[in-house]
Amino acid sequence: MFDGRRWVVTAGPTYEPIDPVRFIGNFSSGKMGYALAAALAEQGADVQLISGPTCLQPPAGVERIAVMTAREMLNACQEAVEKARGLIMAAAVADFRPQTAAAQKVKKQPGQAVWTLELVPNPDILQALACRKRPDQIFIGFSLETHDGEHYALEKLRRKKLDAIVLNHPYEKGGIGADDNEVTVLYPDGGRHFISYRPKQEAARAIVAELARRFSSE
Ligand code: CTP
């Protein structure tokens, strides 16, 4: 299911501009998504990595498409997913963006005590892509929570009509920004596969091996 097949991976944060020098973002480093892209390429997949801003180099043999905002990521995904066997959505997409990005740097006013920003929701990329998903395609999401992780991950799995969701256990060990991670892959039928704490590169290989075990007959 990987050899010679197109897989799309998203990674990193999105940046949502406030003005030309400021943005709303998050602490995602992109390491997990980049590790997944590398692990898929090792299995012979033709990988397109759609990446928000990170300091990372694309893995060997992987085509990287650089984006900044959630809306740019959605556009890139819509195009890339057309020809793909699967999508792994490891990016930490900003749920909201400033309603308007100022054309010039916003200056503080003398004595200003509060700066209120109006935020509007970003599109949910997985949900938008789910509408056009073909039966032969496999869509995998990631879930990051500070509490009740499994409950929320299962809710996202159903809401976004995913084939599996990878639940990060960041506040126990590893996770956002870290070099190591511990995850559980959850399936709509209640199936689950735990991957214990290890370097993200190895966690990514274990996730890819688990996906092969689960989906290679489809
Ligand atoms: N995701 C997405 N588009 C968004 C937000 C998230 O496609 N606008 C994807 C993420 O890449 C991830 C999955 O949805 O694969 C779950 O993301 P997460 O941030 O954990 O959950 P949210 O859907 O944002 O839900 P919540 O607001 O409860 O955090």
Side-chain angles (χ1 to χ4, degrees):
M1 72 179 225
F2 299 124
D3 201 21
R5 307 297 301 272
R6 164 72 53 88
W7 276 76
V8 178
V9 179
T10 67
T14 64
Y15 284 3
E16 310 296 329
I18 296 170
D19 67 17
V21 296
R22 303 185 180 94
F23 61 87
I24 292 177
N26 57 65
F27 292 121
S28 170
S29 64
K31 286 175 197 162
M32 197 65 227
Y34 276 61
L36 282 161
L40 288 165
E42 279 170 15
Q43 296 305 312
D46 166 17
V47 184
Q48 271 189 332
L49 175 62
I50 299 176
S51 174
T54 76
C55 306
L56 304 173
Q57 292 301 315
V62 166
E63 179 195 353
R64 178 169 62 179
I65 301 165
V67 297
M68 186 171 73
T69 66
R71 287 180 295 172
E72 287 171 14
M73 187 171 277
L74 172 62
N75 289 340
C77 285
Q78 275 170 333
E79 201 178 320
V81 153
E82 288 276 302
K83 296 193 183 108
R85 170 79 165 104
L87 165 72
I88 304 184
M89 194 78 204
V93 184
D95 287 320
F96 290 89
R97 67 175 183 276
Q99 186 156 34
T100 49
Q104 294 183 322
K105 184 183 165 191
V106 178
K107 302 290 289 175
K108 64 181 172 298
Q109 301 306 314
Q112 183 178 2
V114 178
W115 177 11
T116 305
L117 275 175
E118 299 274 345
L119 303 181
V120 294
N122 266 330
D124 188 302
I125 298 174
L126 274 176
Q127 236 166 327
L129 296 174
C131 311
R132 299 217 306 249
K133 183 182 175 219
R134 296 188 308 268
D136 64 304
Q137 291 184 311
I138 298 165
F139 284 6
I140 314 289
F142 265 72
S143 186
L144 180 74
E145 297 289 348
T146 53
H147 58 282
D148 296 333
E150 190 157 331
H151 167 78
Y152 288 120
L154 290 171
E155 184 273 320
K156 289 173 211 177
L157 179 71
R158 283 189 280 272
R159 176 162 45 91
K160 303 191 189 214
K161 299 186 177 67
L162 299 172
D163 298 290
I165 195 156
V166 182
L167 170 62
N168 276 299
H169 301 293
Y171 289 88
E172 289 87 27
K173 291 168 177 170
I176 206 155
D179 289 330
D180 305 284
N181 207 3
E182 180 169 284
V183 303
T184 305
V185 186
L186 301 167
Y187 297 103
D189 64 0
R192 56 195 298 131
H193 180 78
F194 175 66
I195 296 169
S196 61
Y197 190 57
R198 62 193 74 184
K200 283 184 173 170
Q201 200 62 254
E202 284 173 34
R205 288 195 185 108
I207 292 168
V208 167
E210 167 59 15
L211 297 180
R213 186 197 64 76
R214 173 85 186 198
F215 296 111
S216 54
S217 58
E218 289 183 13

